[in-house]
Amino acid sequence: MRMIPSASPGLPRRAVAELVGTAALVAVVVGSGIQAAALSQDVGVRLLANSLASALGLGLLIALLGPLSGGHLNPVVTLSEWWARRDEEGAPRAGEVAAYLAAQLVGAVAGALLAEAMFGRAPGAWSTQVRSGTHLLIGETVATAGLVLLVQGLRRIDRSALAPVAVGGYLMAAIWFTSSGSFANPAGTVGRAFSDSFTGIAPASLPGFIGAQLLGLLLGVALASVLYGGRESGRRSGRNEPNGPDSRRKG
């Protein structure tokens, strides 16, 4: 999400940053949900605590890891960045994108298991929270499209430095204004299936949510193109700085 400096690390270190960052993000989301459920029986209070912790955690992780890997922590962000820069010189290669996606998925599962272990729960229990229904899938599509539009919009207007605050703030808002609770992250969604807690999602609900997220990805990219123009306008404005898996590919 953030511009990567010229002396960026190599792909292995960037992949580790994405793995660690995604694990930390899911641990924050799941762990704060477990803590909130233990402290209050009021669903509104639980959601407020969980959304606040998730937003703060995400913003801090983007600020910390953005200079290393771009601070994606989310496959839809990685894929949207790859698509937006696919014709640029030095654009991310397929292998780099695949490394990011794999790291995010492994990190998400590890983060959920870590959160379960921290609270003395048996790690690896599948969630029993069924999240189905057309209205939830619409909400998840909207949440993901908004996230992609925000990330791409910040890049196109040369405001990527605002990503920690903007993306964290959007997550908190979207948790409240969407019916799905704004998972908006395929890797995080898979990870949360490993936690039978307030923020969990049953494995049977994964295909619908991930499908909605991919649809939201397409809608977000399309909206960014409509609102901010094509990649050529971005080049003319000098806004084609590296932003995803590093184009410089230094060692």
Side-chain angles (χ1 to χ4, degrees):
M1 266 173 261
R2 306 191 62 198
M3 185 171 64
I4 297 176
S6 57
S8 74
L11 179 59
R13 190 183 300 177
R14 286 182 276 129
V16 170
E18 285 294 302
L19 188 154
V20 172
T22 309
L25 174 60
V26 174
V28 168
V29 173
V30 173
S32 63
I34 295 173
Q35 183 78 288
L39 295 175
S40 176
Q41 297 301 313
D42 188 313
V43 177
V45 172
R46 292 179 180 180
L47 189 61
L48 179 61
N50 178 243
S51 61
L52 181 59
S54 299
L56 289 173
L58 177 58
L60 290 171
L61 287 168
I62 293 173
L64 178 66
L65 300 175
L68 292 176
S69 66
H72 293 186
L73 318 180
N74 187 337
V76 299
V77 174
T78 298
L79 291 171
S80 69
E81 286 294 296
W82 166 75
W83 180 260
R85 298 182 51 229
R86 67 193 184 282
D87 292 335
E88 292 180 9
E89 182 179 355
R93 296 173 295 190
E96 293 177 287
V97 174
Y100 267 47
L101 299 184
Q104 291 158 357
L105 181 59
V106 172
V109 174
L113 297 178
L114 175 61
E116 291 281 301
M118 284 194 296
F119 285 91
R121 296 156 59 97
W126 292 112
S127 174
T128 56
Q129 287 215 47
V130 177
R131 300 178 187 263
S132 60
T134 302
H135 66 293
L136 294 182
L137 300 183
I138 293 174
E140 191 62 10
T141 300
V142 169
T144 309
L147 173 63
V148 172
L149 176 60
L150 175 61
V151 171
Q152 291 303 311
L154 290 174
R155 186 174 71 87
R156 303 232 187 163
I157 63 174
D158 200 18
R159 295 292 187 273
S160 292
L162 297 176
V165 174
V167 176
Y170 174 80
L171 174 63
M172 185 169 184
I175 287 174
W176 283 92
F177 82 76
T178 63
S179 57
S180 66
S182 185
F183 284 50
N185 184 332
T189 303
V190 172
R192 287 162 69 167
F194 287 82
S195 174
D196 192 15
S197 62
F198 180 67
T199 58
I201 178 171
S205 301
L206 291 179
F209 262 59
I210 293 175
Q213 290 159 359
L214 295 178
L215 177 58
L217 165 64
L218 297 178
L219 291 175
V221 169
L223 282 171
S225 296
V226 170
L227 292 174
Y228 299 103
R231 292 183 303 280
E232 289 299 328
S233 63
R235 292 191 188 95
R236 287 194 296 269
S237 300
R239 293 167 184 159
N240 61 327
E241 295 93 341
N243 210 338
D246 185 29
S247 61
R248 294 173 179 84
R249 305 189 185 100
K250 296 189 69 173

